Amino acid sequence: MSIKKLAGQTVWYGIPRIVSRFLNFGVSLLGFRLFDPNGSYPYTQIYAVIPFLTVLFTYGLETSFFRFAQTHNRQKLFNTLNLSIWFTTILLTLLLFIFKGPLTHFIEMDSHPEFVTWMIWIVFFDTLYTIPLAKLRLEERPRMYAFVNVFSILLNILIILFFYYVAKPAHDSGANSFLALLYNPRIGIGYFIIANLIASAVTLLLLYKEFRSFKFQFDKGLWKEVMHYSYPLIIVGFGGMINEMLSRVIYRKVLVEQYAGQAEFELGVFGANYKLAVLITIFIQIFRMAAEPFFFNQSRNDGAQKMYARIMKLFVIACCFMFLIISLNLQFWKGLIAAKHPEYAQAIHVVPILSMASIFLGIYYNLSIWYKLTNRNMTGAWVTIGGAIITIVLNIALIPRFHYNGAAWATFLCYAFMMVISYQQGQKYYPIPYARKKLITYLVIVSLFYIIHEYLIASHLPKKDKDWTGISYLVYYGSSLVFFGLFTWLIVKVEKKEMQKLPFIGKYFN
């Protein structure tokens, strides 16, 4: 598979994923518009817990499916892993319902235990179609994959709009109708969770052809081999979720007592601004969709390491552009999340920190191919465990003193550590000629551009948004465009030969 094919599949995985994530982001913005930070807190909390449960329920089988599909009969592998995941999903779901009370209390959702019930069912349905979706990716069927994802998110949005813009007005008008009965004000932001649950259940129906190809065939020997490869990935997954989500899960628990009353408010604000790193997060996710099977397939070819190094360089350059789009236009993002509730803008300054942290995470994902290809998953697990320890310690130490600023820096330092350690270990066991100095230079340059831009704005424009004039906005966005243009000029100048080799756009650099 060539870079051109990888790029094409990234587009097929990417455009629907981008559309889906932006629609999802729009849904989040709607939530921030409909509810203040205290009202949006349960949404932030539930969606901080779901990724932990997803890692537990899937236990690394998606990556294992790609890995073993290179050396084993794919149909037998598909059947075995499907049976495994169906059995464990049913078992774990029953256990969660048995211990739902303690779980509800631990995540501090006692006022809305029904949210926890819906959350469990979301994880149940999402887990069941993990292997069928992986099969679509392995068979290089991105169009079907795109259709499933886009349909799911559109259905999700339509249900949300129905509840808040059809059922709610009917209820508020006092009408004694079926529509009015469908809306319960006490549920509040919970209808976002209900919509997700319905969309997840319907997605199973869209994959009926993949399920029809499934046969009750279980190869015990193959399953043991897969689990031996997979169990370190569970540790990696849990560590990754701790690093990404822990700050929001434990925020209320570690905040000092005198601030306990504002914990929900701060968590709602932090969760809203965390969403603004969405561009980089989206790109990392769509890249992984296409890149993971690509990396495994490419490993059998000569020159694979050079190909990985080239992909890393292009990946980092793309992330740098995204960082500039986000960090040089904070006024725009502030307007999106704080149009109705200005208090959401209080934490806008943490967005560049979280965005750079996301870049570090993306680089780590690229680097992690070394332990997956050399069957050293446990080494990768130790790297993730180290990151998780740093996350736990720093969140406990920094949140009580610096609140969401401390949580943001804990995320930044954790991902920086994982990136550096994974690079060092990877060069020992699977050396890849990454353009290390050049990539570090690019990351430093975009960071300096952001710092200089913020200094200029703080020095020459009014401190309060209400005092800004048309000239203020012209200066702000004009200077943003200048810095973006400077970085574009630098990349074109330095990477002209690399750009000429790219599919689709290379002809414009000749």
Side-chain angles (χ1 to χ4, degrees):
M1 185 191 286
S2 64
I3 282 189
K4 182 176 181 179
K5 192 169 186 180
L6 173 62
Q9 291 199 7
T10 300
V11 169
W12 271 110
Y13 289 120
I15 291 178
R17 176 65 69 166
I18 289 173
V19 171
S20 298
R21 287 303 299 268
F22 268 106
L23 289 174
N24 223 344
F25 183 62
V27 168
S28 300
L29 294 180
L30 176 61
F32 302 144
R33 186 174 183 83
L34 292 173
F35 301 94
D36 62 19
N38 288 309
S40 67
Y41 153 74
Y43 178 83
T44 299
Q45 191 77 336
I46 287 293
Y47 282 91
V49 176
I50 284 178
F52 285 98
L53 296 178
T54 300
V55 171
L56 177 65
F57 273 60
T58 57
Y59 50 97
L61 288 191
E62 186 178 39
T63 299
S64 299
F65 183 69
F66 295 130
R67 174 69 177 81
F68 283 85
Q70 309 304 316
T71 55
H72 292 71
N73 180 282
R74 293 187 176 184
Q75 185 61 46
K76 184 186 294 185
L77 179 67
F78 178 72
N79 295 335
T80 299
L81 297 191
N82 251 325
L83 274 174
S84 177
I85 210 165
W86 272 82
F87 175 79
T88 54
T89 298
I90 293 171
L91 177 63
L92 290 172
T93 300
L94 289 174
L95 288 174
L96 284 178
F97 277 117
I98 291 172
F99 295 101
K100 179 190 163 186
L103 173 63
T104 302
H105 183 69
F106 176 76
I107 64 175
E108 299 179 322
M109 293 298 297
D110 297 288
S111 58
H112 289 286
E114 70 277 14
F115 289 8
V116 178
T117 299
W118 303 334
M119 174 189 75
I120 294 171
W121 282 117
I122 288 172
V123 176
F124 174 85
F125 289 119
D126 285 355
T127 304
L128 293 183
Y129 57 72
T130 298
I131 301 302
L133 280 180
K135 184 172 180 284
L136 292 179
R137 291 168 58 195
L138 183 69
E139 294 175 351
E140 299 177 7
R141 296 163 58 195
R143 298 185 186 189
M144 180 61 186
Y145 185 92
F147 170 75
V148 171
N149 279 279
V150 172
F151 181 88
S152 178
I153 188 63
L154 287 176
L155 178 61
N156 192 340
I157 291 171
L158 288 174
I159 295 171
I160 289 172
L161 294 176
F162 169 78
F163 276 118
Y164 290 109
Y165 290 97
V166 178
K168 184 177 184 298
H171 177 274
D172 292 345
S173 68
N176 187 18
S177 65
F178 176 71
L179 285 177
L181 294 175
L182 288 176
Y183 185 80
N184 182 351
R186 199 190 75 81
I187 293 177
I189 203 167
Y191 285 109
F192 284 77
I193 306 172
I194 292 175
N196 190 344
L197 171 58
I198 296 172
S200 294
V202 171
T203 300
L204 280 179
L205 301 177
L206 299 179
L207 292 165
Y208 75 96
K209 287 187 178 180
E210 310 310 315
F211 285 109
R212 281 179 59 189
S213 68
F214 163 68
K215 299 177 182 178
F216 282 87
Q217 178 187 23
F218 186 80
D219 188 318
K220 186 176 180 181
L222 174 59
W223 182 81
K224 286 183 177 180
E225 194 177 349
V226 169
M227 292 307 299
H228 180 74
Y229 177 86
S230 185
Y231 81 86
L233 297 178
I234 304 174
I235 302 173
V236 171
F238 265 117
M241 288 305 104
I242 288 173
N243 299 332
E244 186 175 352
M245 299 292 182
L246 185 75
S247 58
R248 282 163 282 176
V249 174
I250 69 169
Y251 197 93
R252 292 180 63 185
K253 297 182 183 296
V254 300
L255 205 61
V256 291
E257 189 173 343
Q258 62 262 39
Y259 296 108
Q262 65 188 64
E264 290 187 9
F265 173 85
E266 289 187 8
L267 186 55
V269 170
F270 182 56
N273 284 275
Y274 209 110
K275 289 273 185 184
L276 291 181
V278 67
L279 283 176
I280 295 175
T281 304
I282 289 171
F283 178 67
I284 291 171
Q285 288 184 347
I286 64 174
F287 177 81
R288 289 184 71 193
M289 290 289 177
E292 194 165 38
F294 170 81
F295 283 154
F296 282 118
N297 290 329
Q298 186 68 30
S299 65
R300 297 173 291 184
N301 301 331
D302 294 334
Q305 285 91 334
K306 290 183 179 180
M307 179 70 76
Y308 298 152
R310 187 180 171 206
I311 291 171
M312 172 69 88
K313 181 168 64 173
L314 295 172
F315 174 84
V316 171
I317 290 172
C319 284
C320 285
F321 277 111
M322 292 181 188
F323 176 81
L324 290 176
I325 290 172
I326 294 171
S327 63
L328 297 181
N329 298 282
L330 293 181
Q331 280 295 127
F332 172 76
W333 302 112
K334 186 191 297 186
L336 281 182
I337 67 169
K340 188 171 182 180
H341 300 286
E343 54 269 33
Y344 279 119
Q346 293 178 11
I348 197 71
H349 57 277
V350 305
V351 174
I353 302 171
L354 294 171
S355 297
M356 186 56 71
S358 295
I359 293 177
F360 293 163
L361 178 62
I363 294 173
Y364 166 75
Y365 283 142
N366 273 270
L367 294 170
S368 67
I369 191 62
W370 71 264
Y371 67 74
K372 294 176 182 177
L373 292 178
T374 58
N375 292 331
R376 295 178 182 271
N377 288 347
M378 200 61 217
T379 306
W382 283 115
V383 174
T384 309
I385 290 171
I389 292 172
I390 290 174
T391 297
I392 294 169
V393 171
L394 289 181
N395 273 288
I396 292 174
L398 298 180
I399 288 177
R401 186 173 180 183
F402 301 107
H403 302 243
Y404 40 67
N405 296 308
W409 281 110
T411 302
F412 178 93
L413 294 172
C414 164
Y415 289 152
F417 164 82
M418 291 172 61
M419 175 183 66
V420 172
I421 295 300
S422 185
Y423 171 78
Q424 292 176 342
Q425 293 297 307
Q427 294 306 95
K428 289 182 182 179
Y429 298 107
Y430 192 80
I432 297 175
Y434 295 118
R436 178 170 55 91
K437 292 181 180 179
K438 184 180 286 187
L439 299 186
I440 292 173
T441 300
Y442 292 154
L443 292 172
V444 170
I445 287 173
V446 296
S447 299
L448 287 175
F449 279 178
Y450 160 68
I451 293 170
I452 294 171
H453 180 261
E454 286 299 297
Y455 173 76
L456 292 174
I457 296 306
S459 302
H460 297 88
L461 294 182
K463 303 293 183 183
K464 297 181 180 180
D465 291 347
K466 65 180 182 179
D467 297 326
W468 279 39
T469 62
I471 298 297
S472 301
Y473 286 103
L474 183 63
V475 171
Y476 181 87
Y477 289 111
S479 58
S480 300
L481 192 60
V482 168
F483 283 114
F484 190 84
L486 284 174
F487 187 71
T488 303
W489 174 84
L490 173 67
I491 294 300
V492 171
K493 192 78 173 175
V494 176
E495 302 291 350
K496 184 176 181 180
K497 291 183 179 179
E498 183 66 73
M499 296 299 164
Q500 289 174 345
K501 300 176 186 177
L502 291 177
F504 311 120
I505 65 172
K507 59 185 178 182
Y508 299 108
F509 294 90
N510 291 324

